[in-house]
Amino acid sequence: MPDLFSIDEVGILQQQLSEIFEQEREEIWRETSGAVRTVFAAHRFNDAFGRLGRHPKLIGPVTLLLDGPVYMHQYKINAKAAFEGDVWQWHQDYGTWARDDEMPEPRAMNIALFLDDVTEFNGPLYLIPRTHTQGVIDAGHDRATTSYPLWSLDKDTVARLADQHSIVAPKGRAGSVLMFHSNLVHASAPNISPWDRVIVYLSLCHVDNHIRKFSRPEWIAHRDFAPIEPLENDCLLQLLNKT
Ligand code: SIN
Ligand code: MN
């Protein structure tokens, strides 16, 4: 959904990033270089990102597609910093949510907001179309390649799927939004460009389908299964009047 959020709305969120990235807290994971990789659960400690987590432009479409109320399973800001942002290996998100969190079914989706222009240069997501129809594919637990452990697919599987379905890399201006099914196979390459690529992901799950196993920290796999009540359409812009 190109340009779903305005320049002003993106600016309000962008402005918060440097302050968030400076914080030392367990929710902030760094690349081996020290650059911020992922900020988990910023909706809990930052007002603007809190509002984004209840934004009707994000909650609305997912509620429609999942056919009922949703809760926040995971919330992350992936920084993919210029020159430093590291690879995300090929994986399915639901593969992790099923194995680590015992989420019963893939009745969960990602909806992602680009906070920078995403181009062919700065590490866009790579998606293999139609792989969401394949269920959970065999994967191995990769704890070594990056600072963040992930259930990733082997090379032969990715080669077979990509031969069959090809690969797409959605690009767009800051403010654009991308939704994808939790079983869709995806990855992203390191960002060797001089441009940051910040994307915020809300992983939303139908409330009936909440996780059953609490093995990961609650700020990675949330345990508040209450339905999200969306705010007003101008909930971010209201912050402009506050300052
Ligand atoms: C993810 O797969 O969760 C993140 C990938 C990315 O932000 O590039
Ligand atoms: Mn993922």
Side-chain angles (χ1 to χ4, degrees):
M1 291 177 270
D3 305 318
L4 187 64
F5 285 77
S6 68
I7 291 170
D8 284 346
E9 290 173 308
V10 170
I12 290 162
L13 295 161
Q14 274 272 9
Q15 227 182 14
Q16 303 295 313
L17 289 177
S18 46
E19 193 204 310
I20 293 175
F21 288 179
E22 275 169 18
Q23 296 181 31
E24 287 294 332
R25 46 191 309 155
E26 59 184 353
E27 294 96 331
I28 301 183
W29 287 51
R30 293 176 188 276
E31 310 283 12
T32 43
S33 70
V36 170
R37 178 175 177 82
T38 298
V39 179
F40 287 98
H43 62 310
R44 302 253 193 92
F45 59 84
N46 179 277
D47 185 23
F49 282 94
R51 288 168 190 241
L52 185 71
R54 298 175 60 192
H55 205 293
K57 289 197 242 183
L58 300 181
I59 305 302
V62 180
T63 303
L64 274 178
L65 275 171
L66 294 180
D67 201 18
V70 296
Y71 80 95
M72 187 78 67
H73 172 57
Q74 189 171 82
Y75 187 111
K76 55 189 197 287
I77 304 172
N78 277 353
K80 258 298 174 192
F83 297 115
E84 308 290 347
D86 208 349
V87 63
W88 286 82
Q89 302 286 6
W90 289 102
H91 68 282
Q92 296 171 297
D93 284 1
Y94 181 69
T96 298
W97 304 342
R99 292 177 181 103
D100 291 352
D101 307 328
E102 285 182 12
M103 185 185 283
E105 292 175 42
R107 275 198 294 157
M109 291 202 67
N110 287 310
I111 187 157
L113 168 63
F114 299 176
L115 291 188
D116 289 306
D117 294 348
V118 176
T119 69
E120 57 269 55
F121 303 114
N122 61 355
L125 277 178
Y126 292 176
L127 313 175
I128 304 187
R130 305 223 48 79
T131 45
H132 65 291
T133 61
Q134 307 234 345
V136 177
I137 300 167
D138 282 347
H141 207 195
D142 178 355
R143 298 161 190 267
T145 309
T146 66
S147 61
Y148 184 70
L150 202 63
W151 288 93
S152 60
L153 276 52
D154 66 41
K155 291 175 186 166
D156 289 345
T157 305
V158 174
R160 177 175 53 80
L161 294 171
D163 279 349
Q164 247 174 328
H165 302 290
S166 194
I167 300 176
V168 296
K171 289 164 268 183
R173 278 188 292 269
S176 301
V177 166
L178 174 72
M179 303 172 74
F180 58 99
H181 190 282
S182 51
N183 263 338
L184 197 72
V185 173
H186 60 283
S188 65
N191 182 7
I192 58 167
S193 86
W195 301 293
D196 293 335
R197 191 232 65 181
V198 177
I199 301 181
V200 191
Y201 296 84
L202 278 60
S203 301
L204 299 166
C205 179
H206 194 290
V207 290
D208 295 346
N209 192 47
H210 66 78
I211 62 169
R212 306 302 201 242
K213 185 171 137 196
F214 303 150
S215 61
R216 301 198 291 168
E218 53 79 31
W219 41 268
I220 292 185
H222 302 320
R223 291 165 208 171
D224 176 358
F225 309 133
I228 297 171
E229 303 282 349
L231 299 171
E232 300 289 308
N233 225 27
D234 66 347
C235 57
L236 282 171
L237 296 170
Q238 284 167 10
L239 290 174
L240 286 178
N241 307 325
K242 276 190 157 183
T243 50

